[in-house]
Amino acid sequence: MASELTTEAVLAAAAETPDTLLTTSSQARVLMVGAGGIGCELLKNLVLTGFGQVHVVDLDTIDLSNLNRQFLFRHEHIKKSKALVAKEAAQKFNPAVKIVAHHANIKDAQFNIEWFSSFSIVFNALDNLEARRHVNKMCIAADVPLIESGTTGFNGQVQVIKKGVTACYDCSPKETPKSFPVCTIRSTPSQPIHCIVWGKSYLLNEIFGASEDESAFDNSVDGDNAQEIEELKRESEALRKIRNSVGTEEFPEMLFEKVFKTDVERLRSMEDMWKTRKPPEPLSYKELLEKAKSQSLDQEKVLKDAQKVWSLEENLVVFNDSLERLSKRVLESKTAGEDAIITFDKDDEDTLDFVAASANIRSAVFGIDRKSKFDIKQMAGNIIPAIATTNAIVAGLCVLEAFKVLKGQYDRAKEVFLTPFANARMLASDKSRQPNPDCPVCGVYQTRAYVDLDKATLNDLVEHLIKTNLGYGEKDFAISNEVGILYDPDETDNLKKKLSELGIKSDSFLTITDEDDEEPFVNVVIAIQEAKEPLGDKPVKGILDPEDVKIPLKPKKQSQPEPVATPAPTNGNSTSNGQNGGVIDLDGDEPMTTPAKPSLKRGHPEDAEGPSVKKIKANDKAADDDIVFIEDSAGAIVIDDD
């Protein structure tokens, strides 16, 4: 096996000897994130092409529904790790390639910036927005080229991302999600998705996770909704009391009676609410349990059949069994002195079973059609349906673009769109877009700092890094992270606190916003790295010497010219000939990156320039984001609560 080369060495070798591209690829160390639909095809291509070392990261396990398009998997692999099985299957195609499988979450601490920096290329083969954003951010911070790909039904897209050269994943705004009023989710559901959101983001969190408050929903300022919110606060308090009984014999009945009987009876008493809709029907735990026992239901058989729409009695069996499993995990965490917090994950059978059973029982209460566990996993887990041929085409395009990256030919890199039903041609390509200067991820100055997390305070960071090393001097500036503002000239309470007290750890990102009105720097993003050796008398050290730090100024915004009034047509006909004033939309063939329409609804925090204006202090609990969902053109429903 040829020795591994660094990113710079691989690019240099390919540029100097273009005829030895395959030799260069055999020396490359690449990362593939996701071993699903695109991932199976892509891993096969990488192995057959002869890439020297391929790391595969995927947290998911194989499901029966995967077998129609993820061809590396067979029936005997169901419930096994996708990453491990994909490695085993692909290794047979080319034993000379070193494949390293990681059955883990790409957001885990082990996959830090230093680890990302060790790869020549990163390939994204993911199925959700949050993970895509994370990998994009890590690749920009590590300055490693990323090849982003995605499919939606018959449509697909491949994009080359290189820091400072091409646009990154977050350079274009993503579709703004829709949100539900709190009373729709918790009081007047009318669709299966309403019940699924209730089970996933309300009930699961109240009992096993970080308890919700009213800020997690769209709290419209109207009298009816405000009154309902107050009542729901009392409900949450009651649920917190039930939470303390986790693990007891009475726990399942207490929870069931509370959410499917007592709360429903309260709702039924509000007669005005049901004048135009059917009122909900409360359920009795003991009566339903007796029916389930009389049917002698096979618990294991019920749990295995994810494609079947369970009966009400079968849902109770799953409800009780999932509660038992989750309670056991909570008690084990408490015994070990760990945080007993459980959050939803589509690949976590315990939480998925609980959400599926809870949602279906609630659907029965409100006269809504129940869904199979498979359907609920799709709706709650951000899964977008994929087609085998689309995956194969997109995976092939990824490797073709990878060859250009290995040769350093970013000027030849393309954004390629697969649109089989377009009027023109199936594959449409365009030059890579330039980076968006207002992008919150790549339109900033990136740097790193080594920190002694046991000693360093926020004041150390301000005085020894930002003011001196980065050259801010006497400028006014703000420091923020993904939660909110840690420091600004009017918020200095956190200066004496250790970074660890503020939740800052290795591979945390801090954003510095220059508040100078005259010549402000662009935003600076500092990636915190834990020092592996003593730093001397200062617990903070920049990765660059002060003379090597070159932070650009923010480009001045050009003033928009005053609109010129267009004379009214004299013949009664529009001068634009029906073309919206002569403006033609050229983005119609970009299924994955179509800019969102203007909206007054709140988008993702990273979609706006600069950090959130929310201020935090040590140990403060961050407010949760809106519970929202998107329904795309392919009919898939995506839940986004990142």
Side-chain angles (χ1 to χ4, degrees):
M1 177 72 66
S3 61
E4 298 170 22
L5 296 180
T6 63
T7 303
E8 292 77 10
V10 168
L11 296 179
E16 292 173 5
T17 56
D19 294 333
T20 61
L21 179 59
L22 293 181
T23 301
T24 304
S25 65
S26 70
Q27 297 173 325
R29 186 173 188 261
V30 303
L31 168 63
M32 188 184 82
V33 187
I38 296 176
C40 281
E41 294 284 350
L42 181 55
L43 182 59
K44 175 258 297 180
N45 291 347
L46 294 173
V47 167
L48 291 177
T49 308
F51 279 79
Q53 184 175 149
V54 183
H55 284 244
V56 182
V57 180
D58 198 308
L59 178 65
D60 205 357
T61 54
I62 299 162
D63 189 79
L64 176 64
S65 63
N66 301 147
L67 304 186
N68 71 334
R69 61 190 181 280
Q70 298 174 22
F71 76 100
L72 293 181
F73 309 140
R74 298 292 182 267
H75 194 275
E76 62 268 23
H77 297 142
I78 290 174
K79 303 300 181 185
K80 294 183 179 180
S81 162
K82 284 187 176 181
L84 297 174
V85 174
K87 169 194 171 181
E88 180 184 342
Q91 193 72 75
K92 298 174 183 177
F93 296 148
N94 188 348
V97 175
K98 182 179 179 180
I99 306 175
V100 182
H102 306 269
H103 179 58
N105 190 330
I106 192 61
K107 298 177 73 174
D108 289 347
Q110 60 179 312
F111 306 126
N112 54 28
I113 295 174
E114 184 178 356
W115 186 76
F116 269 85
S117 300
S118 67
F119 294 100
S120 307
I121 307 176
V122 176
F123 294 89
N124 250 358
L126 291 160
D127 63 356
N128 71 85
L129 182 67
E130 182 183 359
R132 279 189 168 112
R133 276 192 154 117
H134 175 77
V135 174
N136 176 68
K137 180 173 69 174
M138 296 297 283
C139 287
I140 294 295
D143 197 10
V144 175
L146 168 65
I147 297 182
E148 169 65 46
S149 61
T151 62
T152 304
F154 291 100
N155 297 324
Q157 176 182 349
V158 175
Q159 175 186 4
V160 175
I161 296 171
K162 173 62 177 175
K163 177 183 176 182
V165 179
T166 70
C168 79
Y169 184 74
D170 278 311
C171 275
S172 59
K174 302 302 180 283
E175 190 71 32
T176 303
K178 295 181 289 187
S179 64
F180 289 111
V182 59
C183 54
T184 299
I185 295 298
R186 297 194 192 173
S187 301
T188 56
S190 58
Q191 302 173 27
I193 185 61
H194 297 161
C195 298
I196 294 168
V197 170
W198 175 85
K200 169 181 179 277
S201 298
Y202 170 64
L203 188 60
L204 179 67
N205 280 347
E206 288 291 348
I207 303 301
F208 297 107
S211 180
E212 295 274 15
D213 62 18
E214 71 276 11
S215 64
F217 299 93
D218 176 15
N219 296 327
S220 304
V221 186
D222 64 78
D224 294 338
N225 207 33
Q227 182 180 358
E228 182 66 15
I229 289 168
E230 288 302 315
E231 183 60 42
L232 294 171
K233 284 182 180 179
R234 290 190 284 272
E235 280 188 22
S236 296
E237 182 60 33
L239 282 173
R240 277 191 282 274
K241 293 178 181 178
I242 294 175
R243 180 174 180 156
N244 295 330
S245 67
V246 167
T248 65
E249 187 176 339
E250 300 81 15
F251 174 57
E253 183 175 354
M254 289 174 64
L255 179 60
F256 187 99
E257 289 286 313
K258 170 69 175 69
V259 297
F260 299 124
K261 185 178 181 181
T262 305
D263 292 349
V264 175
E265 289 173 344
R266 179 189 64 80
L267 287 173
R268 277 183 66 95
S269 67
M270 301 178 184
E271 297 179 359
D272 290 344
M273 189 180 292
W274 312 108
K275 286 182 176 179
T276 59
R277 58 169 71 98
K278 182 182 177 182
E281 295 292 338
L283 298 173
S284 168
Y285 179 81
K286 290 181 179 178
E287 291 179 6
L288 190 58
L289 185 61
E290 285 300 319
K291 289 182 181 179
K293 288 180 178 178
S294 67
Q295 296 177 20
S296 301
L297 297 172
D298 186 334
Q299 179 176 297
E300 291 189 6
K301 185 178 180 181
V302 172
L303 289 170
K304 286 182 179 178
D305 196 348
Q307 302 282 349
K308 178 186 176 184
V309 177
W310 296 326
S311 68
L312 187 54
E313 292 77 15
E314 288 171 330
N315 277 293
L316 178 64
V317 169
V318 178
F319 178 81
N320 285 340
D321 184 67
S322 61
L323 277 179
E324 182 179 344
R325 283 177 274 149
L326 291 168
S327 298
K328 183 179 179 181
R329 285 167 56 176
V330 168
L331 295 177
E332 288 175 350
S333 297
K334 288 181 177 179
T335 302
E338 301 172 352
D339 288 337
I341 300 295
I342 298 175
T343 57
F344 178 81
D345 191 306
K346 65 181 175 61
D347 302 316
D348 182 337
E349 289 294 319
D350 298 344
T351 59
L352 179 59
D353 285 342
F354 177 76
V355 169
S358 300
N360 277 334
I361 296 173
R362 185 170 175 82
S363 292
V365 167
F366 284 89
I368 301 169
D369 291 339
R370 297 188 296 273
K371 293 289 183 179
S372 69
K373 176 181 171 181
F374 172 77
D375 289 334
I376 290 173
K377 181 177 181 178
Q378 282 192 310
M379 297 169 76
N382 299 7
I383 300 173
I384 299 175
I387 296 172
T389 48
T390 310
N391 292 334
I393 295 170
V394 166
L397 292 170
C398 287
V399 175
L400 292 177
E401 294 302 314
F403 287 149
K404 300 173 186 176
V405 171
L406 284 177
K407 296 168 72 174
Q409 297 176 337
Y410 292 102
D411 57 327
R412 296 183 59 190
K414 304 286 186 182
E415 282 191 60
V416 187
F417 306 98
L418 173 61
T419 51
F421 299 112
N423 293 328
R425 52 184 179 175
M426 185 174 72
L427 286 175
S429 62
D430 199 357
K431 289 183 179 179
S432 295
R433 289 170 290 137
Q434 293 295 307
N436 179 0
D438 294 326
C439 175
V441 177
C442 72
V444 300
Y445 181 84
Q446 300 268 354
T447 189
R448 302 186 212 173
Y450 293 108
V451 175
D452 184 341
L453 292 173
D454 293 329
K455 298 179 180 179
T457 64
L458 186 62
N459 188 64
D460 291 327
L461 193 76
V462 169
E463 297 296 332
H464 304 315
L465 180 70
I466 300 173
K467 288 186 176 181
T468 55
N469 185 273
L470 297 182
Y472 277 76
E474 298 303 316
K475 280 174 170 281
D476 286 340
F477 57 86
I479 305 174
S480 61
N481 61 4
E482 69 277 3
V483 177
I485 289 180
L486 299 168
Y487 163 84
D488 68 18
D490 299 321
E491 182 70 22
T492 60
D493 294 348
N494 291 329
L495 284 176
K496 295 181 180 180
K497 294 172 182 173
K498 291 182 179 179
L499 296 181
S500 56
E501 293 180 69
L502 296 167
I504 299 169
K505 52 190 178 181
S506 186
D507 281 303
S508 291
F509 290 89
L510 298 179
T511 300
I512 316 302
T513 305
D514 188 350
E515 298 184 346
D516 186 348
D517 292 331
E518 298 299 324
E519 293 186 331
F521 291 148
V522 298
N523 288 356
V524 173
V525 172
I526 304 173
I528 300 297
Q529 307 281 279
E530 186 170 10
K532 296 181 179 179
E533 55 187 36
L535 296 177
D537 58 338
K538 298 176 182 178
V540 177
K541 181 182 178 182
I543 197 171
L544 297 175
D545 293 329
E547 57 270 19
D548 295 325
V549 175
K550 308 293 184 185
I551 304 176
L553 298 177
K554 282 186 179 179
K556 294 186 181 296
K557 299 287 185 181
Q558 295 184 354
S559 58
Q560 296 294 328
E562 291 293 327
V564 179
T566 303
T570 57
N571 58 0
N573 296 323
S574 169
T575 57
S576 65
N577 197 24
Q579 295 295 323
N580 297 322
V583 179
I584 301 174
D585 180 12
L586 299 178
D587 293 324
D589 62 347
E590 301 186 14
M592 305 293 288
T593 59
T594 304
K597 296 179 181 179
S599 173
L600 297 178
K601 297 175 183 175
R602 186 166 73 88
H604 192 282
E606 292 181 353
D607 287 342
E609 181 182 357
S612 164
V613 297
K614 181 172 51 181
K615 297 183 179 180
I616 65 168
K617 297 182 180 179
N619 301 323
D620 280 355
K621 180 180 180 292
D624 295 323
D625 284 341
D626 287 346
I627 294 177
V628 297
F629 83 98
I630 302 170
E631 186 168 4
D632 68 9
S633 58
I637 297 177
V638 182
I639 307 296
D640 185 345
D641 61 352
D642 55 350

